[in-house]
């Protein structure tokens, strides 16, 4: 029975302090995360729910910040409040801190607002010294236990507070195990442990150069300081930089009565998830160890048992734990990640938090919880990260092939799963070779000891990245995730030799050399020799995902369209839920083998007749291209077509011709060899033509609508092909909604003139057909001037589609082709500055990936508003990479666009992101 004890002692001390720095667990709750940290809020909530939590108190995150603000001094009153709270804990437990007859031991645990796994520190068994250990022995009658607790304390305190090298302790522990002829630390006899404690203290004193603190209050003070300091260690700073967590949040410190899992075989410690975090299956998932303490389970000291075995080992503890797990899930209405300890058959809860889960589990848990009546559909939609939806639809390795590879011993190592997806190809050990081969179309996996900005050009063309060193926030991991590339990082099981261009597998004599086949799984961290077949996930089999996306569709306000150039892309887009095509590029069609010679003839023609003849040849090709795309976008049941936006020719014409440099080499070769007069003449003509088209800045050159104004025949042919395709399909009973998009307009007169020419074509076709064929003309807004004069342009456009790739390029003046490799990724990653702790970030994100709110976003907002004012019927959408980026989608929702258009693979991502944007907005508006 716990006595009813008030916290008056603490209240009095608080009254004399400038602020309340310390909360007993029963004074907090789940809503106080900011102040108490995630762990503190969790134990407080559990305490108040009546669950068995060892008593303790939390020192607030504000105290941590105040500590830093006052040059690493505890803020006024904090220590006194901690001592008063400790008094309450002493009363509740009936033990005394430093009492040599009945000692209270505590843990000192860090706990920030956001969980930062493994980043900060915890000290266990604090309050032990040569005197109190005797009390422990007397109380428990268990010498082995008491000295095991003592040696653990010295070990942890030394590592975390005194900052000494933990390996010396581990080494001595191994020596003792060997000497006692035992396999595990739990079996070392008491007499040996006693000796070990003496030796541990000596190591600690030698390493730290000061006597090991025997005063329990000094131990406590130092441990609290160490937790505050761990907030600012390099690991923690890097982690926060990567996860965009503010450095100013601070960590709380939890001081909690120790309960002991190392008191024999009816004691133990464990961790468990309320559901399986990799499948979402509704069953306890976790591990425990008997006669063990703290993080022995995760540290791999002994092999832990599956949580289901606890049913046999400690049946009533298992039942109680299952019950508590269920209660906590109901209470938090989310899957929990739990830590517990059993002391002599009694269960204690030490932590609860919302569980990290992979993509599959996230979707299944969300959908299941709706069915269980635990959460609403809105909540389910809000809970799944768009990136998790994306992951579910990435190509993966064929599971059978992977199993086979493992059985054949081809699984070489396992590193960190730094960026999801599967990649297979040739192992290449330097960025230059990777770039060369990658550009030539070879599948390359770039393997490096670790990567640096000098490797980015190779990373850009690689299928995947493998590194031997570096964590989830290493350069390789950050860049790979940014590029959407699979990455396995920190693979300690391999040694990469740059100079020999190979890696060796540490625990075998396997060597993998440059050019050898390799496969990496960025979702699991596995590295295989040889090529493993990948499979496209089957969207139709993802039943839970489809359910979730169905709900998302009900909540979202933005339309979701896709960018698709070919019928097969269009089909995929429809399968994934697209409601239209926002961008169909026509230039790819020009590149196809049987057409390219005709296109070249058209470009090189010297007279208009010649050009027209070539275009006449191209027309039937284009017509059937467009027919294919339109057909793929027709609902087979209703015959009604989704809207399709076709963009007229956009790139500069020289892109369809051989490169100037190649031709020059060719001509020189023919000249020196002699005897190829005819060929030489032809090549010279071509070289001259290509030379005359060369531009210093082709991106800003003769392209887009400028081409159409100089060579109207091309646009006219394309428009004719589009409308004739529509006419043919409509004759077959279908109803279509074609939209023709004129790119790169900067001045309203450009659009006016092109539109005038093309309306004439439409009229002509209407006349031929004897009826009106629906069509719309619009433009891309992709130049700042177009955005600035959107009110003028809107008077001649039926729709705007924001071409945000070019708009970003031209607004920033960043070349899309070069900026990322040359400097842009470094802007985002941060520049090293001597004398500064953190890298200096110039840009928060890559603006080609996430719309730049303040600049480009501002232009879009203005153009949308002014466009609508001038033409209330104008339809507004966005195409380009940003259309599938969740943050950009949120901005599009705020601006009030009608739809986003993205690559077919990202359509499901956009559906969920658009729903989330609508839901958060709805709430904000309320
Ligand atoms: P982390 O944030 O790294 O998970 P914790 O503060 O949760 O660190 O502590 C790690 C482990 O130490 C816990 O999972 C638990 O096993 C053990 N531990 C912490 N406090 C206590 C305590 N009061 N009694 C027994 N074990 C504890
Ligand atoms: Mg923990
Ligand atoms: Mg463009």
């Amino acid at each position: 029975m716990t006595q009813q004890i008030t916290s008056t002692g603490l209240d009095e001390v608080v009254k004399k302090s400038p602020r309340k720095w310390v909360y007993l667990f029963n004074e907090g709750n789940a809503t106080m995360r900011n102040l108490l940290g995630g762990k503190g809020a969790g134990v407080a909530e559990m305490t108040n729910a009546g669950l068995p939590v060892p008593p303790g108190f939390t020192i607030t995150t504000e105290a941590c910040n105040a500590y830093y603000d006052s040059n690493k001094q505890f803020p006024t009153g904090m220590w006194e409040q901690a001592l008063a709270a400790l008094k309450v804990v002493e009363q509740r437990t009936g033990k005394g801190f430093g009492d040599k007859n009945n000692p209270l031991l505590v843990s000192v645990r860090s706990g920030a607002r956001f969980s930062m796994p493994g980043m900060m520190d915890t000290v266990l068994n604090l309050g032990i010294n040569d005197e109190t250990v005797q009390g422990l022995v007397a109380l428990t009658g268990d010498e082995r236990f008491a000295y095991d607790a003592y040696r653990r304390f010295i070990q942890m305190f030394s590592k975390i507070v005194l900052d000494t090298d933990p390996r010396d302790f581990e080494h001595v522990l191994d020596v003792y195990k060997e000497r006692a002829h035992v396999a595990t630390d739990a079996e070392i006899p008491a007499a040996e442990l006693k000796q070990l404690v003496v030796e541990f203290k000596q190591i600690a004193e030698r390493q730290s150069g000061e006597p090991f603190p025997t005063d329990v209050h000094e131990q406590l003070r130092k441990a609290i300081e160490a937790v505050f300091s761990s907030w600012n260690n390099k690991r923690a700073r890097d982690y926060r930089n990567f996860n965009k967590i503010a450095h100013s949040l601070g960590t709380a410190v939890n001081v909690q009565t120790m309960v002991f899992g190392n008191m024999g075989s009816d004691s133990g410690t464990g961790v468990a998830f309320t559901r399986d975090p990799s499948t979402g299956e509704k069953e306890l998932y976790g591990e425990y160890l008997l006669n063990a303490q703290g993080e022995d389970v995760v540290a791999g000291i002994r092999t832990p048992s599956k949580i289901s075995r606890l049913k046999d080992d400690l049946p009533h503890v298992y039942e109680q734990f299952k019950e508590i797990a269920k209660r906590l899930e109901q209470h938090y209405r989310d899957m929990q990640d739990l830590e517990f300890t059993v002391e002599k058959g009694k269960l204690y809860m030490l932590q609860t938090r919302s569980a990290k889960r992979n993509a599959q589990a996230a979707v299944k848990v969300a959908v299941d919880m709706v069915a269980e009546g635990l959460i609403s559909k809105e909540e389910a939609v809000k809970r799944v990260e768009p990136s998790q939806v994306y992951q579910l639809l990435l190509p993966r390795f064929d599971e059978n092939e992977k199993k086979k590879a493992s059985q054949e011993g081809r699984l070489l190592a396992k590193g960190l799963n730094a960026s999801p997806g599967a990649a297979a190809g040739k192992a290449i050990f330097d960025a230059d070779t990777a770039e060369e081969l990658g550009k030539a179309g070879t599948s390359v996996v770039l393997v490096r000891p670790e990567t640096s900005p000098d490797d980015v050009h190779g990373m850009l063309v690689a299928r995947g990245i493998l590194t031997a060193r570096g964590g989830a926030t290493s350069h390789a991991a950050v860049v790979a995730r940014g590029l959407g590339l699979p990455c396995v990082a920190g693979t300690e099981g391999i040694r990469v030799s740059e100079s020999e261009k190979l890696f060796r597998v540490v625990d075998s004599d396997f060597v993998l050399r440059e050019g050898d086949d390799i496969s990496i799984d960025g979702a699991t961290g596995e590295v295989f020799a040889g090529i493993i077949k990948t499979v496209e996930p089957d969207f139709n089999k993802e039943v839970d995902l489809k359910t979730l996306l169905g709900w998302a569709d009900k909540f979202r306000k933005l339309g979701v369209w896709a960018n698709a150039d070919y019928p097969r892309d269009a089909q995929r887009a429809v399968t994934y839920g697209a409601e239209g095509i926002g961008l169909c590029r026509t230039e790819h069609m020009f590149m196809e083998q049987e057409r390219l010679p005709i296109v070249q003839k058209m470009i090189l023609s010297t007279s208009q007749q010649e050009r027209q003849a070539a275009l006449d040849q191209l027309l039937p090709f284009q017509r059937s291209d467009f027919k294919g795309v339109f057909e793929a976008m027709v609902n087979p049941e209703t015959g009604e077509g989704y809207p399709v936006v076709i963009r007229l020719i956009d790139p500069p014409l020289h892109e369809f011709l051989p490169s100037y440099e190649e031709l020059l080499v060719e001509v020189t070769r023919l000249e020196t060899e002699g005897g190829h007069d005819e060929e030489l003449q032809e090549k010279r003509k071509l070289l001259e033509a290509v030379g005359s088209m060369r531009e210093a800045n082709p991106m800003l050159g003769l392209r887009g609508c400028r081409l159409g104004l100089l060579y109207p025949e091309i646009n006219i042919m394309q428009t004719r092909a589009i409308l004739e395709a529509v006419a043919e399909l409509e004759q077959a009973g279908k109803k279509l909604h074609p939209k023709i998009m004129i790119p790169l307009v900067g001045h309203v007169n450009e659009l006016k003139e092109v539109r005038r020419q093309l309306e004439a074509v439409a009229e002509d076709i209407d006349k031929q057909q004897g009826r009106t064929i629906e069509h719309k003309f619009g433009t891309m807004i992709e130049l700042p001037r177009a955005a600035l004069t959107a009110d003028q342009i809107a008077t001649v456009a039926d729709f705007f589609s924001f071409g945000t790739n070019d708009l970003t390029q031209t607004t920033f003046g960043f070349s899309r082709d070069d900026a990322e490799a040359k400097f842009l990724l470094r802007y985002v990653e941060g520049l090293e500055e001597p004398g500064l702790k953190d890298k200096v970030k110039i840009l928060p994100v890559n603006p080609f990936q996430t719309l730049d709110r303040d600049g480009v976003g501002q232009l879009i907002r203005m153009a949308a508003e002014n466009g609508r004012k001038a033409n209330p019927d104008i339809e507004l959408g966005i195409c380009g990479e940003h259309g599938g980026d969740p943050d950009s989608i949120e901005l599009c929702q705020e601006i009030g666009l009608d739809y986003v258009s993205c690559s077919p693979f990202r359509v499901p991502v956009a559906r969920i992101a658009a729903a989330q944007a609508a839901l958060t907005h709805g709430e904000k508006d309320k």
Side-chain angles (χ1 to χ4, degrees):
M1 287 296 275
T2 44
Q3 302 161 250
Q4 209 45 50
I5 289 158
T6 58
S7 43
T8 24
L10 175 58
D11 289 346
E12 306 237 300
V13 179
V14 170
K15 260 189 229 140
K16 289 185 216 136
S17 313
R19 183 178 293 202
K20 183 166 168 66
W21 305 112
V22 171
Y23 288 75
L24 290 160
F25 288 168
N26 58 303
E27 293 180 310
N29 64 55
T31 66
M32 294 163 74
R33 270 182 87 98
N34 291 353
L35 189 63
L36 304 180
K39 203 180 288 168
V43 285
E45 187 79 10
M46 287 197 291
T47 301
N48 288 321
L51 298 184
V53 178
F57 57 88
T58 305
I59 304 173
T60 64
T61 53
E62 289 175 353
C64 174
N65 291 331
Y67 170 80
Y68 279 108
D69 289 345
S70 54
N71 212 3
K72 300 204 175 186
Q73 299 291 321
F74 285 161
T76 312
M78 186 204 97
W79 179 244
E80 291 71 20
Q81 290 181 27
L83 292 179
L86 194 60
K87 272 264 151 4
V88 180
V89 174
E90 285 179 328
Q91 287 170 323
R92 284 190 186 163
T93 56
K95 296 171 192 277
F97 191 55
D99 180 339
K100 59 178 187 266
N101 296 315
N102 186 13
L104 169 69
L105 301 195
V106 295
S107 63
V108 178
R109 318 170 64 187
S110 60
R113 170 159 156 202
F114 300 105
S115 130
M116 297 171 47
M119 289 302 134
M120 292 184 305
D121 299 320
T122 291
V123 181
L124 302 182
N125 305 333
L126 188 138
I128 208 166
N129 58 29
D130 287 343
E131 291 183 340
T132 54
V133 74
Q134 295 305 334
L136 273 191
V137 174
L139 274 179
T140 61
D142 188 346
E143 217 175 20
R144 189 210 62 82
F145 152 72
Y147 281 93
D148 185 54
Y150 200 0
R151 69 91 186 162
R152 285 171 186 271
F153 171 64
I154 301 169
Q155 216 175 332
M156 282 184 129
F157 191 87
S158 302
K159 176 178 162 209
I160 289 160
V161 183
L162 306 177
D163 205 17
T164 62
D165 187 346
R167 280 176 303 190
D168 290 5
F169 294 95
E170 281 152 26
H171 173 70
V172 173
L173 191 60
D174 284 339
V175 171
Y176 271 74
K177 277 194 280 191
E178 242 165 69
R179 212 188 292 154
H181 300 293
V182 295
T184 70
D185 56 289
E187 298 162 277
I188 303 174
E192 303 289 316
L193 284 172
K194 253 185 184 166
Q195 186 53 39
L196 185 63
V197 162
V198 176
E199 230 174 284
F200 269 16
K201 259 201 281 187
Q202 285 166 353
I203 299 175
E205 289 180 1
R206 200 167 54 236
Q207 282 199 10
S208 68
E210 53 188 270
F212 193 84
T214 52
D215 177 67
V216 293
H217 287 101
E218 189 189 341
Q219 291 176 355
L220 180 61
R221 174 182 266 282
K222 286 201 151 135
I224 294 171
E225 273 176 336
V227 172
F228 280 166
S229 300
S230 70
W231 175 254
N232 258 338
N233 67 29
K234 181 166 168 4
R235 252 183 326 162
R237 288 194 81 84
D238 288 350
Y239 182 91
R240 289 197 296 273
N241 281 338
F242 176 69
N243 288 289
K244 304 205 175 90
I245 298 174
H247 296 305
S248 61
L249 295 177
T251 181
V253 183
N254 301 288
V255 178
Q256 184 176 27
T257 308
M258 278 303 299
V259 286
F260 301 101
N262 53 341
M263 287 187 98
S265 57
D266 57 352
S267 304
T269 177
V271 294
F273 293 84
T274 53
R275 303 186 191 213
D276 186 324
S278 56
T279 65
E281 224 47 70
K282 194 179 175 185
E283 60 192 8
L284 282 182
Y285 177 97
E287 292 174 328
Y288 71 98
L289 269 177
L290 291 183
N291 202 7
Q293 197 182 38
E295 306 213 295
D296 288 4
V297 174
V298 279
I301 291 177
R302 281 181 267 153
T303 310
S305 310
K306 282 218 166 67
I307 196 80
S308 56
R309 269 204 47 193
L310 193 60
K311 206 175 353 193
D312 306 321
D313 281 341
L314 299 169
H316 77 275
V317 171
Y318 180 75
E319 284 311 314
Q320 194 193 353
F321 182 68
K322 232 174 83 174
E323 187 52 41
I324 288 179
K326 196 171 141 198
R327 252 181 82 187
L328 284 170
E329 253 203 5
Q330 302 270 345
H331 186 79
Y332 283 100
R333 303 188 312 126
D334 196 9
M335 170 179 166
Q336 298 294 296
D337 169 357
L338 307 171
E339 294 175 10
F340 66 94
T341 283
V342 184
E343 178 181 311
K344 291 204 164 292
K346 181 161 171 27
L347 174 66
Y348 291 95
M349 298 305 299
L350 294 174
Q351 193 169 339
T352 186
R353 64 182 156 207
S354 128
K356 294 236 156 68
R357 61 208 83 175
N358 74 2
Q360 196 189 331
V363 172
K364 182 167 168 48
V365 169
V367 172
D368 283 355
M369 284 193 166
V370 172
E372 292 163 27
L374 222 51
I375 59 174
S376 66
K377 289 175 184 166
E378 285 93 328
E379 284 172 299
V381 165
K382 283 208 280 194
R383 268 191 196 174
V384 175
E385 302 268 332
S387 64
Q388 292 178 314
V389 171
Y390 183 64
Q391 271 174 40
L392 271 181
L393 298 171
L394 285 176
R396 324 168 192 176
F397 286 131
D398 180 312
E399 281 303 322
N400 288 328
E401 296 261 325
K402 217 164 103 168
K403 220 180 268 163
K404 214 173 84 199
S406 300
Q407 280 158 2
E408 291 167 1
R410 282 159 51 204
L411 174 60
L412 302 178
K414 209 167 159 191
L416 260 162
N417 52 342
S419 175
K426 305 219 165 295
I428 297 298
F429 292 80
D430 69 291
D432 291 345
T433 314
E435 182 179 39
E436 198 178 300
L437 292 177
K439 281 199 170 150
T442 308
S443 297
V444 165
V445 174
L446 181 64
V447 184
R448 300 284 299 150
E450 59 196 332
T451 63
S452 73
D454 298 336
D455 294 315
V456 170
H457 61 289
M459 300 172 80
L460 286 168
V461 297
R463 289 294 171 90
I465 318 286
L466 169 65
T467 67
R469 292 197 297 267
T473 62
S474 61
H475 178 267
V478 174
V479 174
R481 275 188 296 245
L483 298 171
L485 280 179
C487 173
V488 175
T491 316
E492 292 179 353
I494 63 170
R495 297 270 180 278
V496 176
S497 166
E498 282 184 74
S499 55
E500 296 169 278
K501 299 198 166 192
L502 55 79
F503 72 72
R504 297 189 170 81
V505 179
V506 176
D507 52 9
S508 73
D509 34 18
F510 191 91
V511 179
L512 196 130
R513 293 170 198 283
E514 173 166 57
D516 288 353
D517 287 333
I518 186 171
S519 302
I520 61 168
D521 189 335
T524 61
E526 291 161 308
V527 180
F528 294 92
I531 300 286
I532 298 180
K533 225 174 57 200
T534 51
V535 284
E536 304 268 319
D538 184 348
F539 184 69
N540 285 319
K541 288 201 185 128
E542 302 284 342
V543 183
D544 289 328
L545 180 59
K546 287 181 80 164
T547 305
L548 188 78
L549 292 175
W551 297 336
D553 290 343
K554 294 217 176 68
F555 300 130
R556 69 181 156 86
K557 302 201 180 88
L558 281 166
V560 175
W561 298 11
N563 302 342
D565 302 343
Y566 300 98
R568 69 160 188 276
D569 295 339
Q571 248 142 25
R572 179 180 344 246
V574 172
T575 312
Y576 283 176
E579 304 157 304
I581 289 184
L583 176 63
C584 174
R585 284 167 284 228
T586 51
E587 48 270 12
H588 295 193
M589 302 168 178
F590 284 6
M591 291 286 189
E592 275 175 42
Q593 218 174 16
E594 78 264 40
R595 310 177 189 181
L596 194 57
I598 314 176
V599 173
Q600 295 182 342
K601 219 182 330 160
M602 183 261 299
I603 296 170
L604 296 171
S605 47
T606 44
S607 72
Q608 218 216 309
Q609 283 96 323
E610 228 181 300
R611 181 170 312 120
Q612 193 55 54
L615 286 166
D616 288 347
Q617 265 182 295
L618 282 173
L619 178 82
F621 283 120
Q622 287 260 279
R623 191 168 49 220
S624 79
D625 289 334
F626 297 138
K627 238 176 110 175
V629 173
F630 283 131
E631 266 179 319
M633 295 304 289
V634 170
N635 181 331
E637 274 151 39
T638 60
E640 180 81 20
Y642 285 121
V644 174
V645 178
I646 295 174
R647 180 178 72 185
L648 302 180
I649 191 162
D650 182 50
L653 291 181
H654 67 75
E655 283 193 13
F656 301 103
L657 300 175
S659 90
Y660 184 82
E661 288 75 13
E662 260 169 50
L663 279 170
L664 196 60
V665 172
E666 190 73 345
V667 166
T668 317
R669 184 181 65 84
L670 293 173
E671 278 171 354
T672 35
E673 278 178 12
H676 309 278
D677 287 351
E678 207 170 305
E679 200 186 344
L680 182 60
Q681 204 151 349
E682 198 153 294
K683 287 272 148 82
R684 272 192 184 138
K685 231 174 89 191
L686 197 55
L687 179 67
E688 199 185 321
V690 172
S692 74
M693 286 185 197
R694 249 148 71 102
E695 294 176 302
N697 288 312
M699 274 288 193
L700 304 178
L702 179 56
R703 54 175 287 225
C705 68
R706 303 162 194 172
L707 265 177
L709 287 166
L710 262 60
Y711 307 104
E713 310 82 49
I714 306 177
N715 277 348
I716 288 171
M717 179 278 286
Q718 289 196 300
T719 304
R720 184 169 283 282
I722 294 167
L723 296 178
E724 284 179 2
V726 173
E728 276 182 33
L729 286 168
E730 292 201 335
Q731 249 144 34
K734 295 176 176 137
K735 181 78 197 86
L736 300 182
H737 306 286
K739 297 163 193 275
I740 298 172
M741 180 151 75
I742 295 139
L744 213 74
V745 165
H747 193 289
V748 62
N749 287 346
E750 290 173 315
L751 185 61
K752 238 185 228 166
E753 175 53 15
V754 175
R755 182 162 189 166
R756 188 192 61 77
Q757 293 168 358
L758 301 183
E759 289 286 7
V761 178
E763 228 168 88
D764 196 36
I765 291 177
D766 283 355
K767 229 178 272 158
Q768 265 172 31
Q769 298 286 328
R771 66 202 167 91
T772 346
I773 301 213
E774 178 190 315
H775 66 268
K776 294 238 153 57
F777 285 108
T779 183
M780 282 182 108
I781 302 290
E782 51 187 337
L783 295 173
R785 194 183 187 285
L788 292 165
T789 58
D791 52 343
Q792 297 170 23
I793 296 175
T795 59
V796 252
D798 301 324
F799 63 89
F800 283 169
S801 176
F802 291 94
T804 49
N805 296 344
D806 267 315
L807 189 58
T808 300
Q809 164 167 272
T810 49
T811 300
F812 272 99
F814 287 167
S815 161
R816 271 161 70 183
D817 300 315
D818 298 316
E820 282 166 329
K822 292 283 191 246
F823 63 88
L824 187 52
L825 291 177
R826 296 195 63 184
Y827 268 27
V828 177
E829 196 200 323
L831 305 165
E832 304 266 8
E833 274 300 325
L836 289 186
K837 229 190 262 164
D838 295 309
K839 290 180 179 173
V840 178
K841 276 175 175 266
I842 305 297
L843 289 176
V845 287
N846 178 348
F848 287 112
Q849 230 167 52
T850 296
L851 270 178
D852 155 53
R853 237 167 215 276
D854 298 343
V856 182
Q858 211 39 45
L859 280 173
I860 297 176
R861 191 184 292 272
M862 190 179 69
E865 277 167 15
N866 294 342
R868 276 219 177 101
K869 259 185 231 150
N871 175 2
D873 293 331
I874 200 161
E875 186 175 44
L876 303 174
I878 166 184
C879 59
E881 288 311 300
H882 300 98
D885 169 69
D887 291 336
S888 310
I889 290 172
E890 190 179 353
L891 183 59
C892 293
Q893 158 84 42
E894 280 173 42
I895 293 175
L897 300 188
D898 295 305
Y899 67 88
V900 296
S901 184
C902 57
S903 89
F905 279 106
R906 296 204 71 97
V907 164
V909 178
R911 287 164 72 190
I912 196 115
Q916 292 179 349
L919 288 171
T920 18
H921 257 292
E923 279 167 18
K924 262 188 224 153
D925 295 344
K926 265 181 209 156

